[in-house]
Amino acid sequence: MDAERLVDAYGDVTVRDLAWLLFAPDLLRASHAGAPLAHPFETPSERDATLDWLAVLDRDPATLHERARNPKLTRLGFYAESLLEYFLTHGPAASLVAANVPLRRQRVTIGEFDFLLQTARGARLHWELAVKFYLHIGDGSAATARLSDYVGPNLQDRFDLKHERLLTHQLALTSRAEFASLGFEGPWEPQLYIKGRLFYHGESVTPAPELGDAHLRGWWRTVSEWGAMHAESDDAWVVQPRLAWLASRRLAASDGDALLAHAATIRERLSGTVSPTMVAAYGRNEKGEFVERSRGFIVPDDWPERAREFALTTI
């Protein structure tokens, strides 16, 4: 069963996000990741136990909401960390040893590791979590894309730079001399826990070799392109808030009908997009619910040129 079908088994939106974080495919290919990739489960029985645990949590998610729906968690990375911390604290697999502990040298913070955990078999792991959403800016003329072709929507982040930072700085924290003073008995095996979705302008792009074959995909279009493609669309369009970027969403029939009733106004508003905006298209299923059909970014018409410059910038 693929990740999307697993996520669809749960009704609560926060439980869906947690299930997505646990079961979504890795962005990176294990053979090209530069470090071992993290796996939430050591055995098939732990995976099955987690599915059962999520089903129970879905019926009564109050404790998860209390942890993850903190008004102070306004950044997507913090929200994802809170979900994974909840799983490691309360779930049926590995157990949490420490989370988000700063590492200091002479009172100056030099880094903060994400998670230390111990598996049922006794393995002691250091996980660094990254949940990333990049747009591929290459034009498809190159034989193969490069990681530097994948840029953040606001052009403040780039996949190659993030990957290098994870490998050379974040994963190295538990091997530094300063770490020994914290008293966490090791050794600790560093692993990458990297999830997300990559957005493409066309279908002809051969992804960068570092990327996993099953990585989640979306699309991006300029305002002009999107307007021309979707002028006659019968989908219900929704702007996805940043904290709704993980799992797919469902809409009640009444909400979807309301969106369709105001479709022209929504399309007009989106046609005036001045910064990259994630949107999702919803269509009605056999139960009358509106389910997500696709997800993508609408970007200003001048964004591609600026993004290509950013992809080539030496930082």
Side-chain angles (χ1 to χ4, degrees):
M1 185 180 295
D2 61 28
E4 291 184 346
R5 291 179 63 190
L6 285 172
V7 169
D8 279 343
Y10 308 108
D12 180 78
V13 66
T14 313
V15 175
R16 288 170 69 87
D17 282 343
L18 174 53
W20 181 94
L21 195 62
L22 296 175
F23 292 100
D26 296 306
L27 281 186
L28 293 174
R29 186 188 304 271
S31 60
H32 290 66
L37 295 179
H39 299 286
F41 323 112
E42 277 191 314
T43 63
S45 62
E46 281 190 355
R47 181 181 183 276
D48 293 342
T50 298
L51 292 172
D52 293 339
W53 175 77
L54 286 169
V56 173
L57 186 63
D58 194 41
R59 292 193 289 270
D60 183 12
T63 56
L64 176 63
H65 291 177
E66 183 179 354
R67 176 66 187 92
R69 292 187 177 181
N70 187 330
K72 296 180 180 179
L73 297 178
T74 58
R75 293 178 58 182
L76 183 61
F78 293 159
Y79 173 58
E81 287 179 1
S82 74
L83 294 174
L84 193 53
E85 182 177 347
Y86 184 91
F87 169 71
L88 293 172
T89 303
H90 302 285
S95 58
L96 182 68
V97 175
N100 303 120
V101 177
L103 195 61
R104 297 185 174 92
R105 180 175 57 208
Q106 297 179 349
R107 299 184 180 180
V108 176
T109 300
I110 57 178
E112 182 179 287
F113 59 80
D114 287 343
F115 300 102
L116 300 180
L117 57 136
Q118 181 168 312
T119 70
R121 293 177 177 175
R124 297 172 76 79
L125 307 178
H126 163 208
W127 282 359
E128 286 297 323
L129 173 66
V131 181
K132 307 306 294 184
F133 298 83
Y134 293 117
L135 285 66
H136 176 263
I137 192 55
D139 58 9
S141 61
T144 304
R146 305 162 300 175
L147 275 190
S148 58
D149 294 330
Y150 295 86
V151 301
N154 292 323
L155 305 183
Q156 301 295 317
D157 189 13
R158 211 169 68 193
F159 205 165
D160 62 320
L161 302 176
K162 180 62 177 181
H163 187 223
E164 182 180 9
R165 172 77 175 177
L166 286 166
L167 294 178
T168 62
H169 181 73
Q170 291 299 121
L171 288 182
L173 289 175
T174 48
S175 63
R176 295 183 65 113
E178 295 85 355
F179 177 79
S181 66
L182 298 177
F184 297 112
E185 183 180 353
W188 300 90
E189 180 184 355
Q191 296 181 341
L192 280 175
Y193 198 115
I194 184 161
K195 306 286 185 174
R197 189 183 297 265
L198 304 177
F199 299 81
Y200 293 87
H201 191 243
E203 302 295 330
S204 61
V205 177
T206 300
E210 295 90 345
L211 301 178
D213 290 335
H215 72 269
L216 298 179
R217 301 187 184 212
W219 48 266
W220 69 264
R221 299 288 184 270
T222 65
V223 169
S224 297
E225 291 169 335
W226 181 83
M229 289 178 60
H230 299 288
E232 303 301 324
S233 171
D234 60 355
D235 290 329
W237 289 90
V238 177
V239 173
Q240 295 290 102
R242 187 171 291 271
L243 294 187
W245 283 14
L246 303 186
S248 63
R249 274 20 186 183
R250 290 198 293 255
L251 300 176
S254 58
D255 293 334
D257 288 336
L259 288 169
L260 289 177
H262 296 89
T265 301
I266 293 170
R267 281 197 290 268
E268 182 179 356
R269 187 181 306 143
L270 289 173
S271 68
T273 296
V274 296
S275 61
T277 302
M278 185 191 284
V279 297
Y282 292 80
R284 198 190 307 269
N285 66 11
E286 65 279 1
K287 298 179 181 179
E289 301 171 318
F290 280 77
V291 296
E292 188 175 314
R293 286 179 172 171
S294 74
R295 187 180 294 198
F297 274 92
I298 303 172
V299 302
D301 288 342
D302 67 343
W303 184 89
E305 182 178 352
R306 293 187 286 115
R308 291 189 184 96
E309 292 178 0
F310 180 65
L312 295 172
T313 300
T314 302
I315 300 176

PDB file of all heavy atoms in Angstrom, residues 42-59:
ATOM      1  N   GLU A  42      12.046  -0.648  12.610  1.00  0.00           N
ATOM      2  CA  GLU A  42      13.090  -1.660  12.422  1.00  0.00           C
ATOM      3  C   GLU A  42      12.554  -2.936  11.796  1.00  0.00           C
ATOM      4  O   GLU A  42      13.268  -3.656  11.105  1.00  0.00           O
ATOM      5  CB  GLU A  42      13.721  -2.018  13.774  1.00  0.00           C
ATOM      6  CG  GLU A  42      14.795  -1.073  14.242  1.00  0.00           C
ATOM      7  CD  GLU A  42      15.543  -1.626  15.438  1.00  0.00           C
ATOM      8  OE1 GLU A  42      14.897  -2.115  16.373  1.00  0.00           O
ATOM      9  OE2 GLU A  42      16.785  -1.560  15.423  1.00  0.00           O
ATOM     10  N   THR A  43      11.279  -3.238  12.037  1.00  0.00           N
ATOM     11  CA  THR A  43      10.710  -4.513  11.612  1.00  0.00           C
ATOM     12  C   THR A  43       9.308  -4.289  11.039  1.00  0.00           C
ATOM     13  O   THR A  43       8.655  -3.277  11.333  1.00  0.00           O
ATOM     14  CB  THR A  43      10.600  -5.478  12.804  1.00  0.00           C
ATOM     15  OG1 THR A  43       9.685  -4.927  13.770  1.00  0.00           O
ATOM     16  CG2 THR A  43      11.965  -5.698  13.455  1.00  0.00           C
ATOM     17  N   PRO A  44       8.816  -5.238  10.245  1.00  0.00           N
ATOM     18  CA  PRO A  44       7.430  -5.153   9.774  1.00  0.00           C
ATOM     19  C   PRO A  44       6.421  -5.112  10.921  1.00  0.00           C
ATOM     20  O   PRO A  44       5.377  -4.462  10.804  1.00  0.00           O
ATOM     21  CB  PRO A  44       7.276  -6.426   8.930  1.00  0.00           C
ATOM     22  CG  PRO A  44       8.659  -6.743   8.462  1.00  0.00           C
ATOM     23  CD  PRO A  44       9.546  -6.354   9.610  1.00  0.00           C
ATOM     24  N   SER A  45       6.728  -5.786  12.020  1.00  0.00           N
ATOM     25  CA  SER A  45       5.787  -5.777  13.146  1.00  0.00           C
ATOM     26  C   SER A  45       5.686  -4.390  13.764  1.00  0.00           C
ATOM     27  O   SER A  45       4.595  -3.978  14.208  1.00  0.00           O
ATOM     28  CB  SER A  45       6.194  -6.803  14.197  1.00  0.00           C
ATOM     29  OG  SER A  45       7.472  -6.504  14.732  1.00  0.00           O
ATOM     30  N   GLU A  46       6.799  -3.642  13.806  1.00  0.00           N
ATOM     31  CA  GLU A  46       6.736  -2.268  14.307  1.00  0.00           C
ATOM     32  C   GLU A  46       5.901  -1.398  13.374  1.00  0.00           C
ATOM     33  O   GLU A  46       5.144  -0.529  13.833  1.00  0.00           O
ATOM     34  CB  GLU A  46       8.140  -1.682  14.430  1.00  0.00           C
ATOM     35  CG  GLU A  46       8.894  -2.121  15.660  1.00  0.00           C
ATOM     36  CD  GLU A  46      10.180  -1.332  15.874  1.00  0.00           C
ATOM     37  OE1 GLU A  46      10.536  -0.496  15.010  1.00  0.00           O
ATOM     38  OE2 GLU A  46      10.824  -1.554  16.906  1.00  0.00           O
ATOM     39  N   ARG A  47       6.040  -1.630  12.072  1.00  0.00           N
ATOM     40  CA  ARG A  47       5.239  -0.874  11.107  1.00  0.00           C
ATOM     41  C   ARG A  47       3.754  -1.162  11.306  1.00  0.00           C
ATOM     42  O   ARG A  47       2.928  -0.241  11.338  1.00  0.00           O
ATOM     43  CB  ARG A  47       5.668  -1.243   9.688  1.00  0.00           C
ATOM     44  CG  ARG A  47       4.931  -0.522   8.569  1.00  0.00           C
ATOM     45  CD  ARG A  47       5.446  -1.015   7.224  1.00  0.00           C
ATOM     46  NE  ARG A  47       4.824  -0.302   6.115  1.00  0.00           N
ATOM     47  CZ  ARG A  47       3.643  -0.625   5.590  1.00  0.00           C
ATOM     48  NH1 ARG A  47       2.951  -1.637   6.098  1.00  0.00           N
ATOM     49  NH2 ARG A  47       3.161   0.078   4.581  1.00  0.00           N
ATOM     50  N   ASP A  48       3.406  -2.438  11.447  1.00  0.00           N
ATOM     51  CA  ASP A  48       2.002  -2.802  11.646  1.00  0.00           C
ATOM     52  C   ASP A  48       1.471  -2.235  12.959  1.00  0.00           C
ATOM     53  O   ASP A  48       0.324  -1.764  13.031  1.00  0.00           O
ATOM     54  CB  ASP A  48       1.848  -4.326  11.629  1.00  0.00           C
ATOM     55  CG  ASP A  48       2.133  -4.930  10.256  1.00  0.00           C
ATOM     56  OD1 ASP A  48       2.115  -4.173   9.269  1.00  0.00           O
ATOM     57  OD2 ASP A  48       2.395  -6.142  10.190  1.00  0.00           O
ATOM     58  N   ALA A  49       2.299  -2.297  14.005  1.00  0.00           N
ATOM     59  CA  ALA A  49       1.878  -1.752  15.294  1.00  0.00           C
ATOM     60  C   ALA A  49       1.649  -0.249  15.201  1.00  0.00           C
ATOM     61  O   ALA A  49       0.743   0.300  15.852  1.00  0.00           O
ATOM     62  CB  ALA A  49       2.925  -2.065  16.361  1.00  0.00           C
ATOM     63  N   THR A  50       2.446   0.428  14.380  1.00  0.00           N
ATOM     64  CA  THR A  50       2.282   1.872  14.209  1.00  0.00           C
ATOM     65  C   THR A  50       0.979   2.193  13.489  1.00  0.00           C
ATOM     66  O   THR A  50       0.286   3.162  13.844  1.00  0.00           O
ATOM     67  CB  THR A  50       3.481   2.456  13.438  1.00  0.00           C
ATOM     68  OG1 THR A  50       4.674   2.243  14.204  1.00  0.00           O
ATOM     69  CG2 THR A  50       3.300   3.946  13.185  1.00  0.00           C
ATOM     70  N   LEU A  51       0.617   1.391  12.504  1.00  0.00           N
ATOM     71  CA  LEU A  51      -0.659   1.600  11.818  1.00  0.00           C
ATOM     72  C   LEU A  51      -1.825   1.455  12.793  1.00  0.00           C
ATOM     73  O   LEU A  51      -2.771   2.244  12.769  1.00  0.00           O
ATOM     74  CB  LEU A  51      -0.798   0.619  10.653  1.00  0.00           C
ATOM     75  CG  LEU A  51       0.155   0.828   9.483  1.00  0.00           C
ATOM     76  CD1 LEU A  51       0.033  -0.326   8.484  1.00  0.00           C
ATOM     77  CD2 LEU A  51      -0.129   2.154   8.781  1.00  0.00           C
ATOM     78  N   ASP A  52      -1.755   0.450  13.646  1.00  0.00           N
ATOM     79  CA  ASP A  52      -2.805   0.268  14.654  1.00  0.00           C
ATOM     80  C   ASP A  52      -2.815   1.441  15.637  1.00  0.00           C
ATOM     81  O   ASP A  52      -3.887   1.928  16.039  1.00  0.00           O
ATOM     82  CB  ASP A  52      -2.587  -1.042  15.409  1.00  0.00           C
ATOM     83  CG  ASP A  52      -2.785  -2.269  14.537  1.00  0.00           C
ATOM     84  OD1 ASP A  52      -3.466  -2.147  13.504  1.00  0.00           O
ATOM     85  OD2 ASP A  52      -2.248  -3.334  14.883  1.00  0.00           O
ATOM     86  N   TRP A  53      -1.649   1.875  16.045  1.00  0.00           N
ATOM     87  CA  TRP A  53      -1.530   3.002  16.992  1.00  0.00           C
ATOM     88  C   TRP A  53      -2.111   4.276  16.386  1.00  0.00           C
ATOM     89  O   TRP A  53      -2.824   5.035  17.064  1.00  0.00           O
ATOM     90  CB  TRP A  53      -0.058   3.175  17.344  1.00  0.00           C
ATOM     91  CG  TRP A  53       0.266   4.349  18.213  1.00  0.00           C
ATOM     92  CD1 TRP A  53       0.072   4.471  19.556  1.00  0.00           C
ATOM     93  CD2 TRP A  53       0.884   5.576  17.786  1.00  0.00           C
ATOM     94  NE1 TRP A  53       0.526   5.694  20.002  1.00  0.00           N
ATOM     95  CE2 TRP A  53       1.027   6.387  18.941  1.00  0.00           C
ATOM     96  CE3 TRP A  53       1.339   6.056  16.564  1.00  0.00           C
ATOM     97  CZ2 TRP A  53       1.598   7.671  18.882  1.00  0.00           C
ATOM     98  CZ3 TRP A  53       1.909   7.314  16.497  1.00  0.00           C
ATOM     99  CH2 TRP A  53       2.033   8.112  17.657  1.00  0.00           C
ATOM    100  N   LEU A  54      -1.846   4.509  15.113  1.00  0.00           N
ATOM    101  CA  LEU A  54      -2.394   5.687  14.440  1.00  0.00           C
ATOM    102  C   LEU A  54      -3.918   5.617  14.360  1.00  0.00           C
ATOM    103  O   LEU A  54      -4.601   6.638  14.493  1.00  0.00           O
ATOM    104  CB  LEU A  54      -1.807   5.816  13.033  1.00  0.00           C
ATOM    105  CG  LEU A  54      -0.352   6.285  12.946  1.00  0.00           C
ATOM    106  CD1 LEU A  54       0.180   6.102  11.520  1.00  0.00           C
ATOM    107  CD2 LEU A  54      -0.203   7.745  13.373  1.00  0.00           C
ATOM    108  N   ALA A  55      -4.451   4.419  14.140  1.00  0.00           N
ATOM    109  CA  ALA A  55      -5.911   4.263  14.074  1.00  0.00           C
ATOM    110  C   ALA A  55      -6.549   4.623  15.415  1.00  0.00           C
ATOM    111  O   ALA A  55      -7.597   5.283  15.466  1.00  0.00           O
ATOM    112  CB  ALA A  55      -6.264   2.834  13.674  1.00  0.00           C
ATOM    113  N   VAL A  56      -5.935   4.195  16.500  1.00  0.00           N
ATOM    114  CA  VAL A  56      -6.442   4.556  17.830  1.00  0.00           C
ATOM    115  C   VAL A  56      -6.316   6.058  18.056  1.00  0.00           C
ATOM    116  O   VAL A  56      -7.237   6.715  18.568  1.00  0.00           O
ATOM    117  CB  VAL A  56      -5.678   3.766  18.920  1.00  0.00           C
ATOM    118  CG1 VAL A  56      -6.070   4.261  20.312  1.00  0.00           C
ATOM    119  CG2 VAL A  56      -5.939   2.278  18.785  1.00  0.00           C
ATOM    120  N   LEU A  57      -5.169   6.613  17.674  1.00  0.00           N
ATOM    121  CA  LEU A  57      -4.948   8.047  17.837  1.00  0.00           C
ATOM    122  C   LEU A  57      -5.947   8.853  17.011  1.00  0.00           C
ATOM    123  O   LEU A  57      -6.405   9.923  17.442  1.00  0.00           O
ATOM    124  CB  LEU A  57      -3.509   8.383  17.405  1.00  0.00           C
ATOM    125  CG  LEU A  57      -3.016   9.809  17.629  1.00  0.00           C
ATOM    126  CD1 LEU A  57      -2.996  10.154  19.114  1.00  0.00           C
ATOM    127  CD2 LEU A  57      -1.621   9.984  17.016  1.00  0.00           C
ATOM    128  N   ASP A  58      -6.314   8.348  15.843  1.00  0.00           N
ATOM    129  CA  ASP A  58      -7.255   9.041  14.976  1.00  0.00           C
ATOM    130  C   ASP A  58      -8.622   9.178  15.636  1.00  0.00           C
ATOM    131  O   ASP A  58      -9.351  10.149  15.400  1.00  0.00           O
ATOM    132  CB  ASP A  58      -7.366   8.283  13.650  1.00  0.00           C
ATOM    133  CG  ASP A  58      -8.049   9.093  12.557  1.00  0.00           C
ATOM    134  OD1 ASP A  58      -7.777  10.303  12.451  1.00  0.00           O
ATOM    135  OD2 ASP A  58      -8.866   8.508  11.813  1.00  0.00           O
ATOM    136  N   ARG A  59      -8.965   8.225  16.475  1.00  0.00           N
ATOM    137  CA  ARG A  59     -10.265   8.276  17.164  1.00  0.00           C
ATOM    138  C   ARG A  59     -10.241   9.245  18.341  1.00  0.00           C
ATOM    139  O   ARG A  59     -11.287   9.768  18.739  1.00  0.00           O
ATOM    140  CB  ARG A  59     -10.654   6.868  17.634  1.00  0.00           C
ATOM    141  CG  ARG A  59     -10.965   5.907  16.489  1.00  0.00           C
ATOM    142  CD  ARG A  59     -11.633   4.644  16.987  1.00  0.00           C
ATOM    143  NE  ARG A  59     -10.714   3.781  17.730  1.00  0.00           N
ATOM    144  CZ  ARG A  59      -9.968   2.835  17.171  1.00  0.00           C
ATOM    145  NH1 ARG A  59     -10.005   2.638  15.842  1.00  0.00           N
ATOM    146  NH2 ARG A  59      -9.181   2.074  17.916  1.00  0.00           N
TER     147      ARG A  59
END
